[in-house]
Amino acid sequence: MNTQRLLNAYTWIFLAFMFAPLILMVITSFNDVSPPSVTDWRGLTGKWYAFFWMAEADIRADPVLRSLDRDRFIGCFVNSLQVSVVVVPLSLLLGLSGAVLLTRWRSRANGFLWWVLLSPMLAPGIILGLSALVFWGRLGVGAGLFTIMMAQVTFVAGYPLLILMARLQRQPIELEEAALDLGASPFHVFRRITLPFLLPALLSAAVIALLSSMENYNTTMFAKGGACTFATEIGAMSRNPNGHPPVINAVGTVIIVITVVAALTHAVLTRREAR
Amino acid sequence: MRDLVRSFGKGLTSVFFAAVIIWALMLIILPQLTMLEKALTKPLRQLDSSIAGGLERDAADCANILGQYTEPTEGAISTGGLAVPSASGMAVPSMSGMTSPTMNNTVQRPYILQCDRSTTRRQLVRDKGMAAFLDQQYGLPRLSVAADAPIDKQIAVAREIEAIAAGLYIRLQAAEASESQLGLDNFATIGKPVLIPRSAEAQAVSDADLSSKVLTMIGLRYSQDGEAYQRIGLETLTRTLFFAICATLLALVVCYPIAYKVALATSPEKAVWLMLGLIIPYAIVELMRIYAWTSIIDNRGLINELLLWAGAIGEPIQFKRSALTVFVVIVYTYVLFMVFPIYNVMSTLDRNQIEAARDLGASTRKLHWRIVIPHSKPGIAVGCIATFMLAAGAFSVPRIISRGLQSEWFSQTIYNKFFEVNNSNVGAAYSLAYTVICFVIVGLFMWIMRTRLKDFARVQ
């Protein structure tokens, strides 16, 4: 089995390629040097993490951290949360409506609806941000958090749409029919049968919508005006002429740890369920 | 429709319809139509009325500055620091009287930009080779503020120009409001050639470049009368699409074996862990995946330090200046969008089919060509489309990696048009043209691969 061994080796190389930059990121977040470096080791430090809770005076004493604006950073993160609080429920509602119409509505407009609703997922993200900016500007709404929300909902709603459609197509329609025949009102059927059936899909769609809203950079950059979000603020730090501060690597490490823990928990849970 | 009402009731059905209509109209269709309108509208500052308005402001500024200057002292003349930037800074500079008046001994005032620009012979924005001036076009008297006239005379002329320009501005604005300003000019700017000022040596170095030769061959670069011209917009567009297609092909070649390995060549228990290895880098925030590369490709990053230590190079290689680096990071960032669609379709293939083919003596190549690839075609198509669109629309990667040290991606060009030179009409034209081109490429690809849009729901 020579090809098998080759394939194994290739898979390992691929995984190494995917993980090596991330591992370097974790290492650099503990190195006491800015810009982050692995080759120039100046000793272990936790100050890139401590930045978020250390005293104001300590920050001012540090030559690198001094130039960073912690309050702005936290403010931008709060903005991101505000945006996703609107974007996630809204995109779940739009995605659910779209999924119901696309699976159940037998009409000639169906094909057209497919194209319209899926086009934001296909279009380059920058175009969605720009068109939201221009459109709402025309209506007299200035660029800011509102345009960010609108621009994000446009494509984020596509994820619940696809996830819920996959689930709806597998729904046993007999259950619904039986309930209707037994005299349940359609709303009652929807609340007691369809929604519980969709619940797992709704939850995973909500998680995906939340993540894509938080991490979105391309669309947000174009719609943001003077506002900022978590992603744009992180992106803006790359403009630092001396290279970006390792604080970003610390944030990245936290994100990596959260992701790994979440993925592991998910895998373990699904395995236990399978048994 | 009747089915819908029967299963969901009138109330819910109307909520669903309302939500979808709002989504489609307010978030997708109307914004694109507004973009189209903006793209077809002439930029405001190019209109004749804007130029007349600019002249009015310049003349008023000139008269005001001269008014403060009626009692000149010796010191004021020599400092000459009275030039105030005009509010209409974007107006076309006047073509007459550009020789510095301060050189002249008979000069009555220091150099004042606004006064130099206060002339009715102001150039209008017209197509190339068709010069037009305000005074000719609208039958104005030819007036300008002469620097050697007495100050009070100058003020009088400036006031006169101001009054004429103000009248013309109102007249033109009324006329422009009633006629349509739509046109395709903004789209034409994408292909507009731009003069590149270069020394002969720099030109020779640039010509020797392979990419330059190719670009010359397809007509995006040319030289005329010893001057080099580039169609910069079109060149950036071509380069971006070329790199995006390359990234897609590379991702396909890289990912196909991985998807096969996880879906079909591993026992299901092991496959769970392999999947985990793919999901973790996929789920990590996109920006962080990009930042992770900076410590590798920095001038004092991992690669350079290793090469320096090994003595292979004497000076760090400037990876940030190379378009290839952006290409590699784009592949790294978006490669996993190729794996999952292919994996999802491939894992539905019955493993017995592979066993059967092997038992019947099929070679590995034949096995893939006749069984695995045909089965996973929808996944391959969706993966290619997703990767292509992400790579073509990439904005974060070139922005963070290159930091403006190298030639732009088209998404950056659009950004600059909107936010740096403030020409949103041209920017809208660029972004619309870009969307259309990308959709045409995707549509062609879907037609060739016989993919339908419904495959997206099946594969994701």
Side-chain angles (χ1 to χ4, degrees):
Chain A
M1 286 305 270
N2 207 0
T3 42
Q4 191 67 42
R5 206 176 292 162
L6 202 69
L7 191 59
N8 274 337
Y10 178 75
T11 310
W12 282 114
I13 293 172
F14 180 79
L15 286 178
F17 172 67
M18 291 316 294
F19 276 93
L22 301 176
I23 291 169
L24 286 180
M25 184 159 208
V26 175
I27 296 173
T28 49
S29 75
F30 292 106
N31 188 1
D32 193 1
V33 63
S34 172
S37 163
V38 261
T39 44
D40 182 13
W41 190 261
R42 302 255 183 91
L44 202 66
T45 178
K47 71 175 176 188
W48 310 125
Y49 296 88
F51 168 68
F52 290 100
W53 60 80
M54 71 170 49
E56 203 66 45
D58 292 340
I59 291 180
R60 242 174 268 132
D62 189 282
V64 177
L65 296 180
R66 190 167 50 192
S67 62
L68 301 177
D69 189 345
R70 180 170 60 180
D71 293 337
R72 182 180 156 86
F73 198 82
I74 291 168
C76 294
F77 186 72
V78 173
N79 279 351
S80 254
L81 291 180
Q82 283 177 351
V83 168
S84 53
V85 160
V86 174
V87 167
V88 172
L90 202 57
S91 51
L92 284 183
L93 173 69
L94 297 185
L96 176 64
S97 311
V100 168
L101 289 197
L102 285 181
T103 40
R104 293 293 189 78
W105 189 29
R106 306 260 168 266
S107 140
R108 238 178 271 159
N110 206 296
F112 173 71
L113 203 60
W114 262 102
W115 266 106
V116 172
L117 296 189
L118 279 189
S119 61
M121 297 196 77
L122 292 178
I126 56 170
I127 275 113
L128 303 176
L130 276 180
S131 52
L133 177 80
V134 169
F135 174 66
W136 292 102
R138 184 74 196 267
L139 294 183
V141 183
L145 288 187
F146 180 76
T147 47
I148 295 178
M149 290 167 192
M150 291 301 115
Q152 287 193 356
V153 167
T154 312
F155 78 95
V156 169
Y159 300 112
L161 174 76
L162 290 178
I163 294 169
L164 292 172
M165 266 181 70
R167 186 89 178 154
L168 272 176
Q169 276 160 355
R170 270 181 279 140
Q171 185 185 15
I173 204 140
E174 302 81 28
L175 220 60
E176 221 175 273
E177 303 265 310
L180 285 172
D181 288 346
L182 290 173
S185 74
F187 183 74
H188 203 70
V189 173
F190 183 75
R191 207 169 60 91
R192 300 300 290 272
I193 296 177
T194 313
L195 267 192
F197 177 77
L198 288 179
L199 193 66
L202 275 173
L203 283 180
S204 58
V207 171
I208 289 177
L210 176 71
L211 288 181
S212 49
S213 159
M214 291 287 275
E215 77 160 353
N216 182 272
Y217 179 77
N218 291 357
T219 304
T220 311
M221 256 324 260
F222 282 79
K224 75 184 176 74
C228 65
T229 67
F230 178 59
T232 63
E233 188 60 15
I234 286 180
M237 286 195 183
S238 76
R239 305 253 119 185
N240 196 327
N242 299 323
H244 67 267
V247 170
I248 288 189
N249 294 36
V251 174
T253 306
V254 172
I255 291 175
I256 291 171
V257 169
I258 293 174
T259 312
V260 170
V261 168
L264 278 176
T265 328
H266 183 78
V268 169
L269 283 182
T270 35
R271 272 187 74 137
R272 197 172 289 168
E273 230 166 73
R275 261 179 215 163
Chain B
M1 182 74 98
R2 207 179 298 145
D3 284 359
L4 272 175
V5 176
R6 206 183 90 79
S7 0
F8 296 104
K10 269 189 194 136
L12 271 177
T13 310
S14 50
V15 168
F16 290 152
F17 269 99
V20 167
I21 287 170
I22 287 175
W23 185 10
L25 273 186
M26 295 296 279
L27 297 176
I28 301 170
I29 295 174
L30 285 180
Q32 290 308 324
L33 288 181
T34 338
M35 286 284 270
L36 181 65
E37 190 210 10
K38 199 167 187 86
L40 291 175
T41 314
K42 252 192 190 174
L44 194 61
R45 66 183 198 225
Q46 290 184 5
L47 296 180
D48 290 0
S49 66
S50 303
I51 289 166
L55 177 60
E56 179 196 345
R57 282 193 298 275
D58 277 339
D61 286 345
C62 170
N64 289 339
I65 295 167
L66 286 175
Q68 294 166 1
Y69 184 68
T70 38
E71 300 297 322
T73 54
E74 284 301 309
I77 292 176
S78 57
T79 51
L82 284 171
V84 174
S86 86
S88 59
M90 289 186 245
V92 181
S94 87
M95 303 307 286
S96 64
M98 288 308 281
T99 47
S100 178
T102 40
M103 302 290 281
N104 199 326
N105 281 337
T106 58
V107 159
Q108 298 289 313
R109 60 162 161 94
Y111 173 66
I112 299 173
L113 177 70
Q114 282 85 347
C115 291
D116 272 359
R117 293 210 302 218
S118 299
T119 167
T120 52
R121 193 164 180 78
R122 192 172 239 197
Q123 193 165 24
L124 299 168
V125 181
R126 288 291 182 271
D127 289 337
K128 212 180 158 192
M130 286 173 35
F133 296 92
L134 212 54
D135 57 341
Q136 287 173 341
Q137 191 78 24
Y138 297 105
L140 306 182
R142 190 161 169 179
L143 294 171
S144 53
V145 183
D148 48 0
I151 296 289
D152 49 345
K153 182 90 187 303
Q154 286 189 32
I155 294 178
V157 175
R159 289 287 175 212
E160 195 186 343
I161 294 174
E162 186 193 345
I164 291 172
L168 184 66
Y169 175 66
I170 292 166
R171 219 174 75 212
L172 286 180
Q173 237 192 358
E176 278 161 7
S178 59
E179 75 185 48
S180 133
Q181 290 293 332
L182 301 184
L184 290 170
D185 293 356
N186 293 329
F187 288 97
T189 51
I190 301 177
K192 213 167 85 183
V194 177
L195 177 85
I196 307 293
R198 271 205 200 103
S199 66
E201 301 92 74
Q203 187 60 41
V205 170
S206 152
D207 282 346
D209 208 29
L210 179 69
S211 65
S212 176
K213 278 183 188 146
V214 174
L215 288 169
T216 312
M217 213 158 66
I218 54 178
L220 296 180
R221 287 186 184 181
Y222 61 94
S223 49
Q224 200 175 31
D225 308 332
E227 304 273 22
Y229 289 88
Q230 289 184 14
R231 299 180 191 278
I232 289 185
L234 215 53
E235 204 181 297
T236 314
L237 180 62
T238 317
R239 180 162 10 93
T240 308
L241 290 177
F242 173 74
F243 274 122
I245 290 172
C246 286
T248 313
L249 290 179
L250 185 61
L252 178 62
V253 172
V254 167
C255 287
Y256 179 81
I258 301 294
Y260 174 73
K261 166 87 183 159
V262 182
L264 296 172
T266 321
S267 62
E269 296 85 54
K270 268 192 190 162
V272 173
W273 299 111
L274 269 180
M275 271 306 271
L276 212 56
L278 296 178
I279 287 175
I280 288 170
Y282 178 74
I284 285 165
V285 177
E286 181 188 316
L287 284 180
M288 290 306 169
R289 275 181 282 164
I290 302 169
Y291 269 113
W293 273 85
T294 51
S295 57
I296 300 178
I297 52 132
D298 249 344
N299 286 350
R300 295 188 46 80
L302 187 65
I303 299 179
N304 271 324
E305 293 283 329
L306 281 180
L307 288 178
L308 281 173
W309 177 76
I313 48 170
E315 237 168 63
I317 305 171
Q318 302 265 345
F319 285 112
K320 278 182 196 152
R321 291 184 187 272
S322 150
L324 210 62
T325 317
V326 174
F327 175 73
V328 169
V329 180
I330 281 183
V331 171
Y332 174 82
T333 315
Y334 299 127
V335 81
L336 289 170
F337 289 85
M338 184 72 91
V339 172
F340 290 106
I342 301 181
Y343 163 80
N344 285 339
V345 176
M346 226 184 237
S347 58
T348 59
L349 180 67
D350 191 349
R351 286 184 193 214
N352 290 330
Q353 276 196 41
I354 296 176
E355 291 298 313
R358 276 204 207 286
D359 288 348
L360 293 173
S363 65
T364 308
R365 227 181 85 193
K366 207 157 191 182
L367 174 80
H368 282 275
W369 194 245
R370 300 294 289 276
I371 298 176
V372 184
I373 293 183
H375 180 82
S376 42
K377 212 174 74 178
I380 292 175
V382 171
C384 285
I385 291 170
T387 315
F388 171 73
M389 275 308 196
L390 286 168
F395 177 67
S396 47
V397 179
R399 193 171 166 85
I400 290 173
I401 291 295
S402 73
R403 297 180 198 169
L405 287 177
Q406 48 161 284
S407 41
E408 288 175 343
W409 278 60
F410 202 68
S411 47
Q412 288 175 292
T413 308
I414 296 174
Y415 182 87
N416 293 344
K417 287 277 177 248
F418 257 86
F419 299 107
E420 315 234 315
V421 294
N422 236 335
N423 196 345
S424 54
N425 298 84
V426 171
Y430 274 40
S431 88
L432 261 185
Y434 194 48
T435 323
V436 170
I437 290 170
C438 285
F439 271 95
V440 165
I441 292 175
V442 167
L444 262 178
F445 181 75
M446 283 171 77
W447 182 71
I448 292 169
M449 294 288 281
R450 303 269 180 277
T451 327
R452 285 167 316 138
L453 215 49
K454 299 212 158 122
D455 288 331
F456 280 85
R458 229 150 45 89
V459 162
Q460 291 284 333

